Amino acid sequence: MSESVSDIVIGALRRLLENEIELTGIVDRPKGSWDSQIWQKMTELGMTSIAAEYAEEGFDLAADVLVEIGRSSASVPFLEHDLLAGWVLSQGGIDHADGKLLTAVPLENNGKLSIRRKGGDWHINGRAERVPYGRVADEVVVVFSLDGYNWAGRIPSENVRVIEEYNLADEMRDTLDFDNLVLPGTRVLRLPDNLTAERLKARGALGRCFQALGAMECAFTMTHEYAGARIQFGRSLSDFQVIQGYLAEIAGEIAASRAICHVALKADSLEEIAAARIRMGGASQIVAERSHQIHGAIGFTQEYPLHLATRRLWSWREEFGNEKYWEEYLSSIISEAGPDALWARIVG
Protein backbone atom coordinates (compact mmCIF):
# COMPACT_ATOMS: atom_id res chain seq x y z
CA MET A 1 0.00 0.00 0.00
CA SER A 2 1.41 3.39 -1.02
CA GLU A 3 2.18 6.11 1.49
CA SER A 4 -0.15 8.48 -0.33
CA VAL A 5 -3.12 6.15 0.19
CA SER A 6 -2.26 5.78 3.88
CA ASP A 7 -1.91 9.55 4.29
CA ILE A 8 -5.30 10.13 2.67
CA VAL A 9 -7.03 7.56 4.88
CA ILE A 10 -5.44 8.76 8.13
CA GLY A 11 -6.05 12.40 7.26
CA ALA A 12 -9.73 11.72 6.58
CA LEU A 13 -10.07 9.69 9.79
CA ARG A 14 -8.38 12.40 11.87
CA ARG A 15 -10.74 15.05 10.51
CA LEU A 16 -13.73 12.81 11.18
CA LEU A 17 -12.71 12.16 14.78
CA GLU A 18 -11.86 15.81 15.43
CA ASN A 19 -15.24 16.92 14.09
CA GLU A 20 -17.26 14.27 15.92
CA ILE A 21 -15.53 14.00 19.30
CA GLU A 22 -15.05 16.61 21.96
CA LEU A 23 -13.43 14.95 24.98
CA THR A 24 -15.19 17.16 27.49
CA GLY A 25 -18.50 16.13 25.96
CA ILE A 26 -18.12 12.38 26.48
CA VAL A 27 -16.96 12.24 30.09
CA ASP A 28 -20.48 11.51 31.36
CA ARG A 29 -21.70 9.11 28.72
CA PRO A 30 -23.56 6.01 29.98
CA LYS A 31 -21.58 2.82 30.50
CA GLY A 32 -21.26 0.77 27.37
CA SER A 33 -21.85 3.67 24.99
CA TRP A 34 -20.19 3.43 21.62
CA ASP A 35 -19.78 5.78 18.67
CA SER A 36 -22.12 4.10 16.21
CA GLN A 37 -22.42 7.19 14.01
CA ILE A 38 -18.65 7.46 13.69
CA TRP A 39 -18.53 3.75 12.86
CA GLN A 40 -21.15 4.23 10.15
CA LYS A 41 -19.14 7.05 8.60
CA MET A 42 -15.95 4.99 8.79
CA THR A 43 -17.78 2.20 6.98
CA GLU A 44 -19.00 4.57 4.28
CA LEU A 45 -15.41 5.81 3.79
CA GLY A 46 -14.08 2.24 3.44
CA MET A 47 -12.14 2.33 6.72
CA THR A 48 -13.63 -0.78 8.32
CA SER A 49 -12.27 -3.45 5.97
CA ILE A 50 -8.60 -2.49 5.68
CA ALA A 51 -7.08 -5.66 7.15
CA ALA A 52 -9.63 -7.90 5.45
CA GLU A 53 -9.07 -6.31 2.05
CA TYR A 54 -5.29 -5.83 2.12
CA ALA A 55 -4.32 -8.77 4.38
CA GLU A 56 -0.86 -8.37 5.98
CA GLU A 57 -0.08 -5.41 3.73
CA GLY A 58 -2.89 -3.51 5.41
CA PHE A 59 -1.64 -4.05 8.96
CA ASP A 60 0.58 -0.93 8.79
CA LEU A 61 -2.38 1.27 7.91
CA ALA A 62 -4.61 -0.52 10.42
CA ALA A 63 -2.04 0.19 13.14
CA ASP A 64 -2.15 3.91 12.32
CA VAL A 65 -5.95 3.80 12.46
CA LEU A 66 -5.79 2.22 15.91
CA VAL A 67 -3.45 4.97 17.14
CA GLU A 68 -5.93 7.63 15.98
CA ILE A 69 -8.81 5.79 17.66
CA GLY A 70 -6.85 5.51 20.91
CA ARG A 71 -5.80 9.17 20.79
CA SER A 72 -9.40 10.38 20.31
CA SER A 73 -10.94 8.05 22.92
CA ALA A 74 -13.44 6.94 20.27
CA SER A 75 -15.40 3.81 21.12
CA VAL A 76 -15.49 1.88 17.84
CA PRO A 77 -14.80 -1.85 17.23
CA PHE A 78 -12.18 -1.45 14.50
CA LEU A 79 -9.72 -3.88 16.09
CA GLU A 80 -12.33 -6.54 16.77
CA HIS A 81 -14.28 -6.16 13.54
CA ASP A 82 -11.54 -5.70 10.96
CA LEU A 83 -8.11 -6.56 12.30
CA LEU A 84 -9.36 -9.74 13.98
CA ALA A 85 -12.71 -11.09 12.77
CA GLY A 86 -12.57 -9.66 9.24
CA TRP A 87 -9.00 -10.82 8.79
CA VAL A 88 -9.89 -14.34 9.97
CA LEU A 89 -12.79 -14.61 7.53
CA SER A 90 -10.65 -13.35 4.66
CA GLN A 91 -8.05 -16.00 5.50
CA GLY A 92 -10.84 -18.57 5.28
CA GLY A 93 -11.91 -17.25 1.87
CA ILE A 94 -14.96 -15.24 3.02
CA ASP A 95 -15.64 -11.61 2.13
CA HIS A 96 -17.24 -10.02 5.19
CA ALA A 97 -18.05 -6.66 3.58
CA ASP A 98 -21.81 -7.18 3.90
CA GLY A 99 -22.68 -4.55 6.47
CA LYS A 100 -22.47 -6.88 9.45
CA LEU A 101 -20.66 -5.86 12.62
CA LEU A 102 -18.25 -8.55 13.81
CA THR A 103 -16.37 -9.35 16.96
CA ALA A 104 -13.83 -12.11 17.56
CA VAL A 105 -13.11 -14.68 20.27
CA PRO A 106 -9.79 -16.61 20.26
CA LEU A 107 -10.32 -19.87 22.14
CA GLU A 108 -6.98 -21.27 23.27
CA ASN A 109 -7.51 -24.89 24.30
CA ASN A 110 -11.21 -24.07 23.77
CA GLY A 111 -11.28 -22.06 27.01
CA LYS A 112 -14.61 -22.49 28.78
CA LEU A 113 -16.36 -23.77 25.66
CA SER A 114 -17.04 -27.34 24.68
CA ILE A 115 -16.98 -27.76 20.90
CA ARG A 116 -17.65 -31.06 19.14
CA ARG A 117 -18.52 -32.13 15.65
CA LYS A 118 -21.48 -34.39 15.01
CA GLY A 119 -22.32 -35.23 11.44
CA GLY A 120 -22.35 -32.02 9.44
CA ASP A 121 -23.06 -29.79 12.44
CA TRP A 122 -20.99 -28.30 15.24
CA HIS A 123 -22.27 -28.33 18.82
CA ILE A 124 -21.11 -25.54 21.15
CA ASN A 125 -21.68 -25.33 24.89
CA GLY A 126 -20.30 -22.99 27.56
CA ARG A 127 -19.39 -19.34 27.60
CA ALA A 128 -16.91 -16.80 26.29
CA GLU A 129 -16.02 -14.03 28.73
CA ARG A 130 -15.09 -10.35 28.32
CA VAL A 131 -15.97 -10.19 24.62
CA PRO A 132 -15.63 -6.64 23.24
CA TYR A 133 -18.80 -5.25 21.68
CA GLY A 134 -20.56 -8.57 22.18
CA ARG A 135 -24.01 -7.06 22.59
CA VAL A 136 -23.93 -4.98 19.40
CA ALA A 137 -22.17 -7.45 17.08
CA ASP A 138 -24.19 -9.17 14.37
CA GLU A 139 -21.83 -12.13 14.33
CA VAL A 140 -19.29 -13.59 16.72
CA VAL A 141 -16.29 -15.19 15.01
CA VAL A 142 -14.89 -17.95 17.22
CA VAL A 143 -11.44 -19.34 16.38
CA PHE A 144 -10.50 -22.75 17.79
CA SER A 145 -8.51 -25.91 17.10
CA LEU A 146 -10.03 -29.38 16.85
CA ASP A 147 -8.81 -32.70 15.41
CA GLY A 148 -5.49 -31.15 14.40
CA TYR A 149 -7.00 -28.33 12.36
CA ASN A 150 -7.88 -24.68 12.94
CA TRP A 151 -11.45 -23.51 12.49
CA ALA A 152 -13.53 -20.34 12.58
CA GLY A 153 -17.19 -20.48 13.50
CA ARG A 154 -19.51 -17.64 12.45
CA ILE A 155 -22.15 -17.46 15.16
CA PRO A 156 -25.19 -15.17 14.64
CA SER A 157 -25.71 -12.99 17.68
CA GLU A 158 -29.40 -13.92 17.94
CA ASN A 159 -28.30 -17.43 18.88
CA VAL A 160 -26.25 -16.21 21.85
CA ARG A 161 -27.37 -15.05 25.30
CA VAL A 162 -25.50 -11.89 26.26
CA ILE A 163 -24.64 -10.94 29.85
CA GLU A 164 -23.74 -7.26 29.75
CA GLU A 165 -20.46 -6.44 31.48
CA TYR A 166 -17.81 -3.70 31.32
CA ASN A 167 -14.12 -3.07 31.75
CA LEU A 168 -12.65 -0.35 33.97
CA ALA A 169 -13.09 2.19 31.17
CA ASP A 170 -16.84 1.36 30.94
CA GLU A 171 -16.37 -0.26 27.53
CA MET A 172 -18.49 -3.28 26.59
CA ARG A 173 -16.85 -6.53 27.66
CA ASP A 174 -19.72 -8.98 27.64
CA THR A 175 -20.10 -12.63 28.58
CA LEU A 176 -21.63 -14.73 25.80
CA ASP A 177 -23.49 -17.89 26.75
CA PHE A 178 -23.68 -20.68 24.17
CA ASP A 179 -26.39 -23.04 25.41
CA ASN A 180 -26.46 -26.21 23.31
CA LEU A 181 -25.86 -24.13 20.20
CA VAL A 182 -25.95 -26.09 16.95
CA LEU A 183 -23.95 -24.42 14.19
CA PRO A 184 -24.40 -25.70 10.62
CA GLY A 185 -21.25 -26.84 8.87
CA THR A 186 -21.70 -24.07 6.30
CA ARG A 187 -20.91 -21.52 9.04
CA VAL A 188 -17.58 -23.10 10.03
CA LEU A 189 -14.44 -22.37 8.01
CA ARG A 190 -11.21 -24.31 7.80
CA LEU A 191 -8.30 -21.93 8.47
CA PRO A 192 -4.63 -22.07 7.43
CA ASP A 193 -2.37 -24.16 9.67
CA ASN A 194 -0.62 -21.08 11.09
CA LEU A 195 -3.82 -19.22 11.98
CA THR A 196 -4.29 -20.49 15.50
CA ALA A 197 -6.26 -18.99 18.37
CA GLU A 198 -2.91 -18.07 19.93
CA ARG A 199 -1.89 -16.11 16.85
CA LEU A 200 -5.24 -14.31 16.83
CA LYS A 201 -4.76 -13.43 20.50
CA ALA A 202 -1.28 -12.06 19.74
CA ARG A 203 -2.69 -10.00 16.88
CA GLY A 204 -5.27 -8.58 19.28
CA ALA A 205 -2.56 -7.84 21.83
CA LEU A 206 -0.50 -5.91 19.28
CA GLY A 207 -3.59 -4.04 18.15
CA ARG A 208 -4.30 -2.98 21.73
CA CYS A 209 -0.68 -1.81 21.97
CA PHE A 210 -1.26 0.63 19.12
CA GLN A 211 -4.51 1.82 20.67
CA ALA A 212 -2.67 2.32 23.97
CA LEU A 213 0.01 4.28 22.13
CA GLY A 214 -2.67 6.71 20.98
CA ALA A 215 -4.14 6.93 24.50
CA MET A 216 -0.69 7.68 25.94
CA GLU A 217 -0.19 10.44 23.39
CA CYS A 218 -3.57 11.87 24.38
CA ALA A 219 -2.64 11.80 28.08
CA PHE A 220 0.71 13.46 27.34
CA THR A 221 -0.90 16.25 25.30
CA MET A 222 -3.40 17.04 28.07
CA THR A 223 -0.70 16.86 30.75
CA HIS A 224 1.79 19.02 28.86
CA GLU A 225 -0.85 21.68 28.21
CA TYR A 226 -2.02 21.63 31.81
CA ALA A 227 1.52 21.92 33.17
CA GLY A 228 2.13 24.96 30.99
CA ALA A 229 -1.14 26.67 31.94
CA ARG A 230 -1.35 25.88 35.65
CA ILE A 231 0.27 28.56 37.84
CA GLN A 232 1.65 27.54 41.22
CA PHE A 233 3.70 29.79 43.52
CA GLY A 234 3.86 32.38 40.78
CA ARG A 235 5.23 30.01 38.13
CA SER A 236 3.75 27.52 35.70
CA LEU A 237 4.09 23.89 36.74
CA SER A 238 6.26 23.22 33.70
CA ASP A 239 8.92 25.53 35.17
CA PHE A 240 9.51 23.15 38.07
CA GLN A 241 12.33 20.68 37.54
CA VAL A 242 10.44 17.72 38.97
CA ILE A 243 7.54 18.35 36.57
CA GLN A 244 9.95 18.64 33.67
CA GLY A 245 11.38 15.29 34.71
CA TYR A 246 7.94 13.69 34.79
CA LEU A 247 7.08 15.08 31.35
CA ALA A 248 10.38 13.81 29.96
CA GLU A 249 9.69 10.38 31.49
CA ILE A 250 6.27 10.24 29.82
CA ALA A 251 7.74 11.27 26.46
CA GLY A 252 10.47 8.65 26.80
CA GLU A 253 7.99 5.88 27.56
CA ILE A 254 5.91 6.83 24.53
CA ALA A 255 8.95 6.91 22.24
CA ALA A 256 10.19 3.53 23.45
CA SER A 257 6.72 2.00 23.12
CA ARG A 258 6.28 3.34 19.62
CA ALA A 259 9.62 1.87 18.55
CA ILE A 260 9.00 -1.62 19.89
CA CYS A 261 5.44 -1.68 18.54
CA HIS A 262 6.71 -1.01 15.03
CA VAL A 263 9.44 -3.63 15.42
CA ALA A 264 6.75 -6.16 16.35
CA LEU A 265 4.58 -5.01 13.46
CA LYS A 266 7.35 -5.55 10.90
CA ALA A 267 8.58 -8.81 12.40
CA ASP A 268 5.08 -10.37 12.61
CA SER A 269 6.45 -12.84 15.18
CA LEU A 270 4.81 -13.88 18.42
CA GLU A 271 8.09 -13.29 20.28
CA GLU A 272 8.34 -9.66 19.20
CA ILE A 273 4.63 -9.14 19.88
CA ALA A 274 5.10 -10.56 23.38
CA ALA A 275 8.00 -8.17 24.00
CA ALA A 276 5.95 -5.21 22.73
CA ARG A 277 2.99 -6.18 24.89
CA ILE A 278 5.18 -6.44 28.00
CA ARG A 279 6.86 -3.11 27.30
CA MET A 280 3.54 -1.39 26.59
CA GLY A 281 2.06 -2.62 29.85
CA GLY A 282 4.85 -1.06 31.89
CA ALA A 283 4.72 2.16 29.88
CA SER A 284 0.95 2.44 30.35
CA GLN A 285 1.38 2.31 34.10
CA ILE A 286 4.09 4.99 34.16
CA VAL A 287 2.31 7.35 31.74
CA ALA A 288 -0.98 7.14 33.64
CA GLU A 289 0.80 7.53 36.99
CA ARG A 290 2.84 10.58 36.01
CA SER A 291 -0.07 12.23 34.20
CA HIS A 292 -2.24 12.03 37.29
CA GLN A 293 0.60 13.18 39.54
CA ILE A 294 1.09 16.33 37.46
CA HIS A 295 -2.63 17.05 37.29
CA GLY A 296 -3.20 16.52 40.98
CA ALA A 297 -6.76 16.25 42.27
CA ILE A 298 -8.47 17.58 39.16
CA GLY A 299 -7.12 14.67 37.13
CA PHE A 300 -9.19 12.23 39.17
CA THR A 301 -12.53 13.95 38.64
CA GLN A 302 -15.22 12.60 36.33
CA GLU A 303 -15.64 16.00 34.69
CA TYR A 304 -12.01 16.25 33.57
CA PRO A 305 -11.26 14.10 30.46
CA LEU A 306 -7.87 12.71 31.50
CA HIS A 307 -9.52 9.50 32.71
CA LEU A 308 -10.76 8.77 29.19
CA ALA A 309 -7.15 7.97 28.33
CA THR A 310 -5.85 6.58 31.62
CA ARG A 311 -8.76 4.26 32.37
CA ARG A 312 -8.38 2.80 28.90
CA LEU A 313 -4.67 2.27 29.53
CA TRP A 314 -5.40 0.45 32.79
CA SER A 315 -8.13 -1.65 31.17
CA TRP A 316 -6.28 -2.57 27.98
CA ARG A 317 -3.30 -3.88 29.99
CA GLU A 318 -5.48 -6.87 30.91
CA GLU A 319 -6.85 -7.67 27.45
CA PHE A 320 -5.52 -10.30 25.03
CA GLY A 321 -3.15 -11.41 27.76
CA ASN A 322 -1.60 -9.20 30.42
CA GLU A 323 2.12 -8.71 31.04
CA LYS A 324 2.35 -11.83 33.19
CA TYR A 325 0.83 -13.97 30.45
CA TRP A 326 3.24 -12.70 27.79
CA GLU A 327 6.23 -12.76 30.15
CA GLU A 328 5.60 -16.44 30.80
CA TYR A 329 5.14 -17.08 27.08
CA LEU A 330 8.38 -15.31 26.16
CA SER A 331 10.38 -16.91 28.96
CA SER A 332 9.18 -20.38 27.95
CA ILE A 333 10.31 -19.80 24.35
CA ILE A 334 13.74 -18.60 25.49
CA SER A 335 14.12 -21.48 27.96
CA GLU A 336 13.23 -24.07 25.33
CA ALA A 337 15.86 -22.63 22.98
CA GLY A 338 18.57 -23.23 25.57
CA PRO A 339 21.52 -21.12 26.77
CA ASP A 340 23.49 -21.37 23.53
CA ALA A 341 20.76 -19.52 21.63
CA LEU A 342 20.13 -16.85 24.26
CA TRP A 343 22.60 -14.21 23.04
CA ALA A 344 21.53 -14.63 19.42
CA ARG A 345 17.91 -14.05 20.42
CA ILE A 346 18.77 -10.98 22.49
CA VAL A 347 20.71 -9.25 19.71
CA GLY A 348 18.33 -10.38 16.97
PDB file of all heavy atoms in Angstrom, residues 15 24 31 105 119 128 134 141 164 271-272 285 307 317 335 346:
ATOM      1  N   ARG A  15      -9.739  13.980  10.627  1.00  0.00           N
ATOM      2  CA  ARG A  15     -10.738  15.047  10.509  1.00  0.00           C
ATOM      3  C   ARG A  15     -12.097  14.587  11.023  1.00  0.00           C
ATOM      4  O   ARG A  15     -12.810  15.342  11.705  1.00  0.00           O
ATOM      5  CB  ARG A  15     -10.845  15.510   9.051  1.00  0.00           C
ATOM      6  CG  ARG A  15      -9.640  16.302   8.566  1.00  0.00           C
ATOM      7  CD  ARG A  15      -9.905  16.930   7.212  1.00  0.00           C
ATOM      8  NE  ARG A  15     -10.096  15.924   6.164  1.00  0.00           N
ATOM      9  CZ  ARG A  15      -9.107  15.379   5.466  1.00  0.00           C
ATOM     10  NH1 ARG A  15      -7.846  15.727   5.706  1.00  0.00           N
ATOM     11  NH2 ARG A  15      -9.364  14.487   4.524  1.00  0.00           N
ATOM     12  N   THR A  24     -14.415  16.692  26.343  1.00  0.00           N
ATOM     13  CA  THR A  24     -15.186  17.156  27.494  1.00  0.00           C
ATOM     14  C   THR A  24     -16.665  16.810  27.362  1.00  0.00           C
ATOM     15  O   THR A  24     -17.395  16.841  28.348  1.00  0.00           O
ATOM     16  CB  THR A  24     -15.042  18.678  27.664  1.00  0.00           C
ATOM     17  OG1 THR A  24     -15.424  19.319  26.426  1.00  0.00           O
ATOM     18  CG2 THR A  24     -13.613  19.047  28.009  1.00  0.00           C
ATOM     19  N   LYS A  31     -22.453   3.977  30.673  1.00  0.00           N
ATOM     20  CA  LYS A  31     -21.576   2.824  30.502  1.00  0.00           C
ATOM     21  C   LYS A  31     -21.984   2.044  29.258  1.00  0.00           C
ATOM     22  O   LYS A  31     -23.169   1.859  28.977  1.00  0.00           O
ATOM     23  CB  LYS A  31     -21.667   1.913  31.735  1.00  0.00           C
ATOM     24  CG  LYS A  31     -21.101   2.521  32.996  1.00  0.00           C
ATOM     25  CD  LYS A  31     -21.306   1.608  34.198  1.00  0.00           C
ATOM     26  CE  LYS A  31     -20.473   0.344  34.101  1.00  0.00           C
ATOM     27  NZ  LYS A  31     -20.549  -0.469  35.340  1.00  0.00           N
ATOM     28  N   VAL A 105     -13.448 -14.000  19.023  1.00  0.00           N
ATOM     29  CA  VAL A 105     -13.109 -14.677  20.272  1.00  0.00           C
ATOM     30  C   VAL A 105     -12.058 -15.740  19.967  1.00  0.00           C
ATOM     31  O   VAL A 105     -12.359 -16.748  19.320  1.00  0.00           O
ATOM     32  CB  VAL A 105     -14.345 -15.343  20.909  1.00  0.00           C
ATOM     33  CG1 VAL A 105     -13.951 -16.069  22.190  1.00  0.00           C
ATOM     34  CG2 VAL A 105     -15.433 -14.328  21.177  1.00  0.00           C
ATOM     35  N   GLY A 119     -21.794 -35.266  12.788  1.00  0.00           N
ATOM     36  CA  GLY A 119     -22.319 -35.231  11.436  1.00  0.00           C
ATOM     37  C   GLY A 119     -21.822 -33.991  10.717  1.00  0.00           C
ATOM     38  O   GLY A 119     -20.639 -33.671  10.726  1.00  0.00           O
ATOM     39  N   ALA A 128     -18.101 -17.587  26.586  1.00  0.00           N
ATOM     40  CA  ALA A 128     -16.910 -16.798  26.290  1.00  0.00           C
ATOM     41  C   ALA A 128     -17.023 -15.505  27.090  1.00  0.00           C
ATOM     42  O   ALA A 128     -18.068 -14.837  27.054  1.00  0.00           O
ATOM     43  CB  ALA A 128     -16.817 -16.494  24.801  1.00  0.00           C
ATOM     44  N   GLY A 134     -19.759  -7.372  22.365  1.00  0.00           N
ATOM     45  CA  GLY A 134     -20.560  -8.573  22.178  1.00  0.00           C
ATOM     46  C   GLY A 134     -22.027  -8.298  21.966  1.00  0.00           C
ATOM     47  O   GLY A 134     -22.684  -8.947  21.144  1.00  0.00           O
ATOM     48  N   VAL A 141     -17.202 -14.270  15.683  1.00  0.00           N
ATOM     49  CA  VAL A 141     -16.286 -15.194  15.006  1.00  0.00           C
ATOM     50  C   VAL A 141     -15.423 -15.867  16.064  1.00  0.00           C
ATOM     51  O   VAL A 141     -14.632 -15.208  16.742  1.00  0.00           O
ATOM     52  CB  VAL A 141     -15.417 -14.450  13.976  1.00  0.00           C
ATOM     53  CG1 VAL A 141     -14.422 -15.413  13.325  1.00  0.00           C
ATOM     54  CG2 VAL A 141     -16.296 -13.796  12.915  1.00  0.00           C
ATOM     55  N   GLU A 164     -24.418  -8.529  29.958  1.00  0.00           N
ATOM     56  CA  GLU A 164     -23.738  -7.260  29.748  1.00  0.00           C
ATOM     57  C   GLU A 164     -22.762  -6.960  30.888  1.00  0.00           C
ATOM     58  O   GLU A 164     -23.152  -6.918  32.055  1.00  0.00           O
ATOM     59  CB  GLU A 164     -24.762  -6.130  29.610  1.00  0.00           C
ATOM     60  CG  GLU A 164     -25.656  -6.298  28.389  1.00  0.00           C
ATOM     61  CD  GLU A 164     -26.595  -5.123  28.178  1.00  0.00           C
ATOM     62  OE1 GLU A 164     -26.582  -4.193  29.018  1.00  0.00           O
ATOM     63  OE2 GLU A 164     -27.328  -5.115  27.173  1.00  0.00           O
ATOM     64  N   GLU A 271       7.086 -13.706  19.293  1.00  0.00           N
ATOM     65  CA  GLU A 271       8.088 -13.293  20.280  1.00  0.00           C
ATOM     66  C   GLU A 271       8.191 -11.775  20.359  1.00  0.00           C
ATOM     67  O   GLU A 271       8.212 -11.198  21.455  1.00  0.00           O
ATOM     68  CB  GLU A 271       9.450 -13.903  19.917  1.00  0.00           C
ATOM     69  CG  GLU A 271       9.500 -15.409  20.072  1.00  0.00           C
ATOM     70  CD  GLU A 271      10.858 -15.971  19.708  1.00  0.00           C
ATOM     71  OE1 GLU A 271      11.866 -15.382  20.143  1.00  0.00           O
ATOM     72  OE2 GLU A 271      10.916 -16.981  18.989  1.00  0.00           O
ATOM     73  N   GLU A 272       8.263 -11.127  19.200  1.00  0.00           N
ATOM     74  CA  GLU A 272       8.338  -9.659  19.197  1.00  0.00           C
ATOM     75  C   GLU A 272       7.038  -9.031  19.714  1.00  0.00           C
ATOM     76  O   GLU A 272       7.057  -8.016  20.408  1.00  0.00           O
ATOM     77  CB  GLU A 272       8.641  -9.146  17.783  1.00  0.00           C
ATOM     78  CG  GLU A 272      10.099  -9.173  17.406  1.00  0.00           C
ATOM     79  CD  GLU A 272      10.596 -10.570  17.044  1.00  0.00           C
ATOM     80  OE1 GLU A 272       9.756 -11.493  16.956  1.00  0.00           O
ATOM     81  OE2 GLU A 272      11.816 -10.734  16.851  1.00  0.00           O
ATOM     82  N   GLN A 285       1.432   2.019  32.671  1.00  0.00           N
ATOM     83  CA  GLN A 285       1.381   2.309  34.101  1.00  0.00           C
ATOM     84  C   GLN A 285       2.101   3.621  34.423  1.00  0.00           C
ATOM     85  O   GLN A 285       1.578   4.473  35.149  1.00  0.00           O
ATOM     86  CB  GLN A 285       2.017   1.172  34.894  1.00  0.00           C
ATOM     87  CG  GLN A 285       2.055   1.434  36.394  1.00  0.00           C
ATOM     88  CD  GLN A 285       2.651   0.270  37.164  1.00  0.00           C
ATOM     89  OE1 GLN A 285       2.779  -0.834  36.650  1.00  0.00           O
ATOM     90  NE2 GLN A 285       3.020   0.512  38.400  1.00  0.00           N
ATOM     91  N   HIS A 307      -9.214  10.908  32.429  1.00  0.00           N
ATOM     92  CA  HIS A 307      -9.520   9.500  32.709  1.00  0.00           C
ATOM     93  C   HIS A 307      -9.962   8.736  31.460  1.00  0.00           C
ATOM     94  O   HIS A 307      -9.902   7.511  31.426  1.00  0.00           O
ATOM     95  CB  HIS A 307     -10.604   9.393  33.787  1.00  0.00           C
ATOM     96  CG  HIS A 307     -11.948   9.904  33.366  1.00  0.00           C
ATOM     97  ND1 HIS A 307     -12.860   9.128  32.700  1.00  0.00           N
ATOM     98  CD2 HIS A 307     -12.535  11.120  33.533  1.00  0.00           C
ATOM     99  CE1 HIS A 307     -13.965   9.830  32.474  1.00  0.00           C
ATOM    100  NE2 HIS A 307     -13.781  11.049  32.964  1.00  0.00           N
ATOM    101  N   ARG A 317      -4.435  -3.071  29.511  1.00  0.00           N
ATOM    102  CA  ARG A 317      -3.304  -3.884  29.988  1.00  0.00           C
ATOM    103  C   ARG A 317      -3.720  -5.324  30.245  1.00  0.00           C
ATOM    104  O   ARG A 317      -2.883  -6.236  30.211  1.00  0.00           O
ATOM    105  CB  ARG A 317      -2.733  -3.296  31.283  1.00  0.00           C
ATOM    106  CG  ARG A 317      -1.959  -2.020  31.129  1.00  0.00           C
ATOM    107  CD  ARG A 317      -1.420  -1.547  32.466  1.00  0.00           C
ATOM    108  NE  ARG A 317      -0.371  -2.417  32.971  1.00  0.00           N
ATOM    109  CZ  ARG A 317       0.212  -2.283  34.147  1.00  0.00           C
ATOM    110  NH1 ARG A 317      -0.174  -1.296  34.958  1.00  0.00           N
ATOM    111  NH2 ARG A 317       1.163  -3.101  34.539  1.00  0.00           N
ATOM    112  N   SER A 335      13.624 -20.317  27.201  1.00  0.00           N
ATOM    113  CA  SER A 335      14.117 -21.480  27.959  1.00  0.00           C
ATOM    114  C   SER A 335      14.219 -22.714  27.078  1.00  0.00           C
ATOM    115  O   SER A 335      15.189 -23.476  27.157  1.00  0.00           O
ATOM    116  CB  SER A 335      13.181 -21.766  29.143  1.00  0.00           C
ATOM    117  OG  SER A 335      13.179 -20.688  30.052  1.00  0.00           O
ATOM    118  N   ILE A 346      18.752 -12.316  21.908  1.00  0.00           N
ATOM    119  CA  ILE A 346      18.774 -10.978  22.491  1.00  0.00           C
ATOM    120  C   ILE A 346      19.183  -9.928  21.463  1.00  0.00           C
ATOM    121  O   ILE A 346      18.572  -8.859  21.364  1.00  0.00           O
ATOM    122  CB  ILE A 346      19.723 -10.930  23.700  1.00  0.00           C
ATOM    123  CG1 ILE A 346      19.142 -11.755  24.867  1.00  0.00           C
ATOM    124  CG2 ILE A 346      19.955  -9.482  24.156  1.00  0.00           C
ATOM    125  CD1 ILE A 346      20.077 -11.864  26.048  1.00  0.00           C
TER     126      ILE A 346
END
